[in-house]
Amino acid sequence: MHKLSRFTWLLLVSSLLFGCQQPQQEVKQEIKQKFVERKSAAYLEQEYAAMRAEQIRDVSYQLTMNLDEKSDAYSGEIIIDFTLAKENLSPVTIDFNSGKVSAVYLNNQAVNFIYEQYFIQLAPEVFKQQKNTLRIEFEHAYSRAGDGLHRYQDPQTGKVYLYSNFEPYNANKMFPHFDQPNIKASYLLSVLAPVDWQVISAQRESSVSEESGKKRWTFPITPKIPSYIFPLHAGPYKVWEDKSGSVPLRLFARQEIAQYVQPEEWFTFTQQSFDFFNQYFEIEYPFGKYDQLVVPDFNSGAMENLGAVTFNEIYVGRGVKTRLERFRHANVISHELAHMWFGNLVTMDWWNGLWLNESFATYMSYLQMSKNSEFTDDSWGLFYNNMKQWAYTTDQQVTTHPIELPVANTAEAFTNFDGITYGKGASVLKQLAYYVGEENFRKGVASYLKKYSYSNTELSDFMNEVALFGNLDLTGWTQEWLYQAGLNTIQVEFACGDNHDVAPLSEFLIEQSAPADHPTLRTQKIELGFYQVDNSANQQSIYQTATLPVVYSGKKTALVIEKNMACPDFVYPNLNDMGYIKIALDKKSLNSVKQHLATFDSAMRTKLWQNLWDDVLDQRMPLTEYVQLLDTALVSDDPADVAATSVKMRLARDYFWQMRDDKNQFTKELSQLENISWRELQSAQTGGDIQKIWFDTYVQMVYSPAGLNRLADYLTGKQKVQGLVYDQDRRWATLIRLNNFQHKAAVSLTDKEKKKDTSDMGQQWSLISESTRPDAKIKANYFEKIIAKNQEYKLATSRLIMVNLFPANQITFRKSYTQSILLNIPMLHREQDERFMSSYMSGMLPRICTQEGVNQLSAASKEYGSLTPVIDRYLKIAVQEEQRCVNMKKLLLK
Ligand SMILES: [Zn+2]
């Protein structure tokens, strides 16, 4: 799976951790005799799943599904052939969440069963020895929340589109079966569907025939695969076709957005990824065909269903994409394709292995793009901006956790789709490849995939192969990096002779520290970058003089310095971002940054702005000083750097709005942010990406009456930005801003736009525009809808409303709703599912930047933290963030 922008998860118990493994025989014996009672719950317990993996084996499914466009529910039948463990004494349970079971037959005879809400249960004594066949007739409602078998109906055309989405434990929301990754099974699928529909699964259909006014699609038997990647998508999707070598490629999207799809781009990115992975893994793509579908209401970025990957519709924009957006698109295609080998061909035994699955796909996608794409020079810089920052942020939260840890149940697995699982995992794999040598790493990976094809693995299986080809003992490395949480900081210390111009570097030391909660110090290989100021030109500038690879460990690592190495003015201790580390610049280097920031190359500048921003968050630099520096030292010559700046400006803006005690506070800084974006927009090259980014940033920064009038003029066409494509999504972004600040023309312009843009997205944006207005009645109305038991909107829409209902500048509403938002948590927990709760917790928790806010959130955290891991995690982070804002404000008012 691929998480969107601010993503999210994780873990295991391998033999590495516990030393010697018990002999296989003994383990099985013990499990067979142990009776594990199954809880009635929407999640699956690891302990139970482990027992069932011993109880049930050699599974194959014959699944028949009856689909139509009119009903809210579908019917189906599944035949399950399996072998039961000898002398089995435990009931057999078949996972099936919230469906209807009309009949169960065992070995061709009707059989008694119990079906509560989450699984079907049969007594052990009804089974034959060993081989058994179950046949279950069932019904289930289509999903509206994106999991199970999701049904979408387009508001414009009425057409219905279905897709499946299962990870980690949602396949049982579609059909009854054993829903766990280590019960791999083959699937024989047959689907009855409306005549104008496409039906897409893991393999191409073997036949399509007419049957009672519909079409019967039958598919060949699949190889043994885990349930969470089994796909079933259907609907009147439009299709495009191409090839990669001998592999047929197809792309699907709903007809209503087909005009915006650029199939050549999809296929080119896909083919480049195929070429790279076929070589890198030394295994030709093993699953015959490869389909990609763009689907509506999707909860994450994309999902690696076998040979039928689903993507969020954000990858089909309604305007012209920037290079960065095209990069993100290529990157997610690559990530999902990497999973076909790593995850789909070789699968984790249990969800503790999720991190390796996700980290690996993440690392591989950036690696592929750095080697075989049009983005070779951008790839690792964007890895730093995206994955690294996500990882560093998550690793500094109070809820951080080791990369590898036990996962008690699938609900915990769900919360582990986080910055540790994706960002930190990928960062340490990048470090590992550098540490053992990239070619050694590749050989280890290829060997691992060949050795364990079509089976399940644990972490030690992977580490052993990498260690073997790297010819290194990785036991210590694994302990430090995978089993311990936390982010270390390094700082360099150096001394030179007295006379700066001639005296060479004499001493050089790397000092490593760790946060008190996570005291582990680590070993890693990094590159030191040395820089000097060039005084010869009219304007001073700074340039790089040397790169020095070095392995450091422990508290202090002294370097042996070559003779006559010039005294540096600036040292960056993680030059090509090989290390996973926070950097505290030494005093001399920090001074050089403040003086020469604008003259660094753009890749280094991005990192230095990030360093300064970290200083703001850690309360070492006042936020006002950062904005002042932006005003004087900003250089807009690299879209990736400008995009990173834009993110920080949005955060800075929200901090200022939250910190305001009265109308006049921080108006200087808020105006500065608006003015900087306007100034940079004016000087950006016409029609270029930098212009697009600054325009979008400007819309987000505007709050002055003059600025708001200008936005209204863009909408009516009275003013234009030369060369900028003012597309439909930009129009809505402008409208949301106007509504947020109650511009006098906001309501009429929104009504007009709503009539013009009748697409699904248009209807959703018009709701957001309305909900964002600072009007007590509107707020009350939308808040009621969000917390209502029967949801009026599909989750995709509710989620957008949650994020936009209380913008930071409407702090009075935020404050007045704080208690209601918190008090409703237990009720929502009872009435809604985990997907809804994670949307509510990530979108609604109030940030008001006061001590009272800290107190209210802390009380809620104590009171409700025990409900679920999701609720616990979001509340703890909210307390920490609220306290940070309070502290940042104190620093400003000193
Ligand atoms: Zn993934």
Side-chain angles (χ1 to χ4, degrees):
M1 180 149 86
H2 196 280
K3 293 288 286 187
L4 281 171
S5 53
R6 244 154 293 127
F7 331 46
T8 315
W9 311 359
L10 223 311
L11 313 171
L12 163 135
V13 192
S14 90
S15 54
L16 270 178
L17 187 61
F18 293 117
C20 71
Q21 229 172 353
Q22 284 179 283
Q24 204 74 1
Q25 210 82 49
E26 267 181 53
V27 175
K28 280 179 187 161
Q29 209 61 40
E30 187 192 19
I31 288 169
K32 237 190 290 173
Q33 285 162 3
K34 191 162 104 184
F35 175 75
V36 182
E37 196 179 353
R38 182 158 187 188
K39 283 182 195 163
S40 176
Y43 52 81
L44 183 66
E45 299 276 352
Q46 187 274 335
E47 200 188 356
Y48 183 81
M51 186 281 290
R52 193 165 64 176
E54 300 297 331
Q55 182 192 27
I56 305 287
R57 62 189 64 188
D58 306 326
V59 180
S60 59
Y61 299 115
Q62 296 173 57
L63 176 63
T64 306
M65 298 279 287
N66 301 313
L67 308 175
D68 72 17
E69 64 251 273
K70 295 205 177 64
S71 322
D72 295 334
Y74 55 88
S75 64
E77 179 190 280
I78 189 158
I79 299 171
I80 309 174
D81 286 300
F82 65 98
T83 303
L84 191 65
K86 277 184 188 165
E87 292 154 33
N88 170 64
L89 296 175
S90 301
V92 171
T93 67
I94 303 111
D95 311 321
F96 190 42
N97 188 335
S98 303
K100 276 186 200 159
V101 177
S102 33
V104 179
Y105 301 88
L106 178 65
N107 304 319
N108 287 322
Q109 305 249 307
V111 66
N112 285 335
F113 63 93
I114 303 167
Y115 180 43
E116 40 76 89
Q117 194 182 352
Y118 301 111
F119 52 86
I120 303 159
Q121 182 166 321
L122 286 90
E125 52 274 13
V126 300
F127 292 90
K128 287 195 303 190
Q129 286 285 314
Q130 306 253 312
K131 289 206 182 303
N132 283 276
T133 303
L134 271 169
R135 183 161 69 83
I136 303 170
E137 292 169 9
F138 63 91
E139 278 177 49
H140 200 285
Y142 290 106
S143 163
R144 288 179 82 210
D147 292 320
L149 187 59
H150 181 80
R151 179 180 190 271
Y152 167 89
Q153 182 160 29
D154 191 86
Q156 234 172 345
T157 63
K159 289 186 193 303
V160 169
Y161 298 88
L162 310 178
Y163 60 86
S164 62
N165 190 55
F166 294 162
E167 193 180 22
Y169 184 62
N170 292 313
N172 70 92
K173 289 179 183 166
M174 184 173 104
F175 64 107
H177 68 293
F178 306 113
D179 194 2
Q180 63 187 71
N182 61 356
I183 301 190
K184 283 192 169 184
S186 62
Y187 293 75
L188 191 61
L189 176 67
S190 168
V191 179
L192 192 63
V195 282
D196 62 338
W197 279 21
Q198 301 275 349
V199 179
I200 301 117
S201 189
Q203 291 178 315
R204 282 301 290 268
E205 64 279 4
S206 42
S207 70
V208 183
S209 55
E210 301 274 334
E211 187 179 313
S212 44
K214 290 168 113 180
K215 277 187 179 163
R216 165 77 56 196
W217 295 64
T218 55
F219 295 83
I221 194 162
T222 68
K224 297 262 179 196
I225 58 170
S227 51
Y228 76 94
I229 53 162
F230 174 70
L232 173 55
H233 318 307
Y237 287 101
K238 182 172 166 63
V239 57
W240 297 266
E241 296 190 52
D242 204 330
K243 273 190 154 191
S244 179
S246 61
V247 179
L249 305 178
R250 293 187 299 177
L251 173 67
F252 296 86
R254 61 190 169 95
Q255 294 177 28
E256 294 79 3
I257 64 159
Q259 58 174 309
Y260 305 111
V261 175
Q262 295 176 295
E264 312 77 37
E265 184 128 309
W266 282 84
F267 290 132
T268 304
F269 292 153
T270 308
Q271 286 151 349
Q272 286 169 344
S273 304
F274 261 100
D275 290 347
F276 181 79
F277 293 141
N278 278 330
Q279 278 199 348
Y280 189 94
F281 297 138
E282 298 175 15
I283 300 173
E284 288 286 317
Y285 175 72
F287 300 116
K289 63 97 178 172
Y290 195 67
D291 293 330
Q292 299 176 98
L293 293 93
V294 194
V295 296
D297 301 339
F298 203 63
N299 281 324
S300 55
M303 176 62 210
E304 69 270 19
N305 315 299
L306 193 94
V309 176
T310 38
F311 292 84
N312 194 301
E313 286 188 351
I314 61 154
Y315 297 108
V316 178
R318 293 195 283 181
V320 183
K321 281 186 180 160
T322 62
R323 186 176 162 78
L324 275 177
E325 286 165 337
R326 291 180 61 246
F327 176 92
R328 265 181 230 130
H329 182 206
N331 187 257
V332 71
I333 287 175
S334 182
H335 176 111
E336 301 311 323
L337 186 59
H339 275 309
M340 294 301 136
W341 286 265
F342 209 102
N344 294 7
L345 182 62
V346 179
T347 310
M348 69 227 146
D349 198 59
W350 177 246
W351 295 106
N352 60 317
L354 176 70
W355 79 265
L356 187 57
N357 209 17
E358 292 307 340
S359 304
F360 189 84
T362 302
Y363 170 66
M364 285 312 296
S365 64
Y366 283 89
L367 181 69
Q368 178 257 311
M369 295 185 71
S370 75
K371 305 271 189 194
N372 188 42
S373 79
E374 63 186 273
F375 304 100
T376 46
D377 295 339
D378 310 284
S379 191
W380 291 121
L382 292 169
F383 183 85
Y384 171 86
N385 289 357
N386 302 331
M387 287 301 144
K388 274 283 169 78
Q389 300 318 316
W390 186 22
Y392 292 155
T393 301
T394 316
D395 217 1
Q396 293 177 86
Q397 284 166 343
V398 286
T399 50
T400 190
H401 52 83
I403 291 176
E404 178 74 40
L405 76 154
V407 170
N409 57 56
T410 54
E412 275 184 25
F414 180 75
T415 63
N416 283 335
F417 283 82
D418 68 3
I420 300 298
T421 291
Y422 285 79
K424 185 174 180 181
S427 301
V428 305
L429 286 180
K430 185 185 179 194
Q431 163 64 203
L432 179 62
Y434 184 58
Y435 189 60
V436 303
E438 287 193 12
E439 181 58 12
N440 294 335
F441 180 81
R442 189 196 67 73
K443 284 181 182 157
V445 168
S447 169
Y448 164 81
L449 291 173
K450 286 178 206 164
K451 201 165 168 179
Y452 298 106
S453 286
Y454 299 102
S455 56
N456 295 84
T457 54
E458 296 190 347
L459 175 63
S460 54
D461 299 324
F462 177 75
M463 293 307 298
N464 289 346
E465 294 303 305
V466 175
L468 182 69
F469 286 86
N471 202 19
L472 280 171
D473 179 357
L474 293 174
T475 317
W477 188 94
T478 305
Q479 278 300 330
E480 283 177 8
W481 287 101
L482 305 182
Y483 287 99
Q484 308 295 330
L487 174 63
N488 298 111
T489 300
I490 54 170
Q491 180 160 13
V492 302
E493 221 178 82
F494 57 89
C496 305
D498 295 342
N499 185 334
H500 174 271
D501 287 335
V502 292
L505 187 60
S506 55
E507 279 173 47
F508 198 99
L509 203 65
I510 299 173
E511 289 184 322
Q512 180 178 200
S513 59
D517 295 350
H518 303 288
T520 306
L521 296 177
R522 297 175 173 86
T523 301
Q524 69 177 334
K525 188 174 173 186
I526 53 168
E527 289 171 318
L528 304 172
F530 294 85
Y531 288 71
Q532 278 195 301
V533 174
D534 179 3
N535 291 307
S536 61
N538 277 347
Q539 264 191 318
Q540 285 188 336
S541 64
I542 199 151
Y543 65 102
Q544 197 194 332
T545 54
T547 306
L548 194 64
V550 53
V551 176
Y552 73 82
S553 56
K555 264 190 182 166
K556 289 187 182 184
T557 305
L559 254 61
V560 182
I561 301 296
E562 276 181 49
K563 276 181 190 167
N564 301 323
M565 197 162 163
C567 187
D569 293 308
F570 170 77
V571 179
Y572 191 76
N574 191 15
L575 188 62
N576 287 305
D577 195 34
M578 293 302 178
Y580 179 81
I581 194 78
K582 191 168 179 175
I583 289 164
L585 290 174
D586 65 278
K587 218 171 168 189
K588 187 176 182 187
S589 294
L590 188 60
N591 273 338
S592 297
V593 170
K594 288 189 178 169
Q595 279 178 42
H596 305 291
L597 184 53
T599 72
F600 281 92
D601 66 71
S602 68
M604 181 51 69
R605 233 168 35 221
T606 306
K607 294 188 173 74
L608 296 175
W609 278 112
Q610 182 61 48
N611 256 67
L612 295 170
W613 181 252
D614 291 342
D615 286 346
V616 172
L617 295 184
D618 294 344
Q619 302 114 49
R620 283 192 299 269
M621 178 191 261
L623 182 58
T624 44
E625 190 183 330
Y626 184 87
V627 174
Q628 189 57 38
L629 207 55
L630 272 180
D631 212 354
T632 53
L634 184 66
V635 181
S636 298
D637 61 357
D638 172 9
D641 186 44
V642 174
T645 302
S646 174
V647 171
K648 294 178 184 85
M649 285 175 69
R650 287 167 206 233
L651 293 168
R653 171 202 66 182
D654 284 357
Y655 276 125
F656 284 126
W657 282 114
Q658 288 171 41
M659 288 172 180
R660 261 153 77 107
D661 289 322
D662 65 67
K663 265 189 172 179
N664 299 319
Q665 215 174 3
F666 305 121
T667 47
K668 181 187 159 218
E669 287 77 13
L670 286 164
S671 303
Q672 250 176 324
L673 290 170
E674 182 176 330
N675 295 339
I676 291 167
S677 52
W678 175 246
R679 184 186 73 207
E680 298 299 317
L681 174 62
Q682 295 311 297
S683 55
Q685 196 195 341
T686 303
D689 282 358
I690 290 175
Q691 184 192 41
K692 289 194 189 90
I693 300 168
W694 278 122
F695 180 85
D696 296 341
T697 310
Y698 175 64
V699 171
Q700 293 303 318
M701 296 301 133
V702 165
Y703 83 106
S704 70
L708 293 165
N709 284 338
R710 190 182 280 138
L711 295 193
D713 284 352
Y714 289 144
L715 280 164
T716 56
K718 270 191 210 153
Q719 287 196 57
K720 281 192 171 70
V721 178
Q722 212 188 342
L724 181 91
V725 181
Y726 192 48
D727 61 46
Q728 190 59 62
D729 295 332
R730 289 207 164 86
R731 294 184 68 84
W732 279 116
T734 314
L735 276 163
I736 291 168
R737 195 74 184 161
L738 288 181
N739 278 288
N740 179 351
F741 285 90
Q742 247 177 339
H743 186 270
K744 60 182 187 300
V747 174
S748 64
L749 286 171
T750 306
D751 288 347
K752 240 171 135 180
E753 205 72 19
K754 189 178 165 183
K755 284 185 192 120
K756 205 181 82 185
D757 181 9
T758 55
S759 70
D760 183 34
M761 240 12 259
Q763 299 309 296
Q764 295 195 57
W765 287 131
S766 76
L767 280 178
I768 308 310
S769 300
E770 187 188 72
S771 70
T772 200
R773 287 173 200 155
D775 174 313
K777 266 193 193 150
I778 289 177
K779 298 297 179 199
N781 178 31
Y782 278 96
F783 187 68
E784 280 306 312
K785 286 179 182 179
I786 285 173
I787 61 167
K789 180 168 185 178
N790 295 315
Q791 292 281 300
E792 176 174 339
Y793 304 117
K794 59 188 178 184
L795 182 63
T797 306
S798 297
R799 193 164 43 210
L800 282 172
I801 296 172
M802 290 180 203
V803 174
N804 288 284
L805 190 56
F806 301 116
N809 55 294
Q810 295 177 12
I811 193 73
T812 321
F813 283 117
R814 271 198 186 183
K815 285 179 179 165
S816 63
Y817 274 88
T818 295
Q819 277 302 53
S820 302
I821 290 170
L822 297 174
L823 289 172
N824 276 297
I825 290 172
M827 180 273 289
L828 290 168
H829 163 66
R830 283 193 304 275
E831 292 181 352
Q832 308 291 343
D833 67 6
E834 62 189 5
R835 192 67 90 167
F836 177 93
M837 281 319 287
S838 89
S839 303
Y840 185 82
M841 300 304 287
S842 63
M844 294 291 287
L845 286 190
R847 307 283 157 85
I848 53 177
C849 206
T850 62
Q851 194 53 49
E852 199 193 347
V854 176
N855 297 342
Q856 287 172 320
L857 286 162
S858 300
S861 176
K862 283 194 193 89
E863 182 103 20
Y864 311 134
S866 59
L867 291 176
T868 66
V870 169
I871 292 171
D872 185 44
R873 193 177 282 200
Y874 278 110
L875 280 169
K876 281 180 176 155
I877 293 169
V879 173
Q880 186 183 15
E881 288 299 319
E882 186 74 353
Q883 187 65 57
R884 183 205 301 281
C885 188
V886 169
N887 295 348
M888 282 168 61
K889 185 175 171 182
K890 273 187 202 149
L891 188 68
L892 292 189
L893 301 180
K894 253 183 193 171

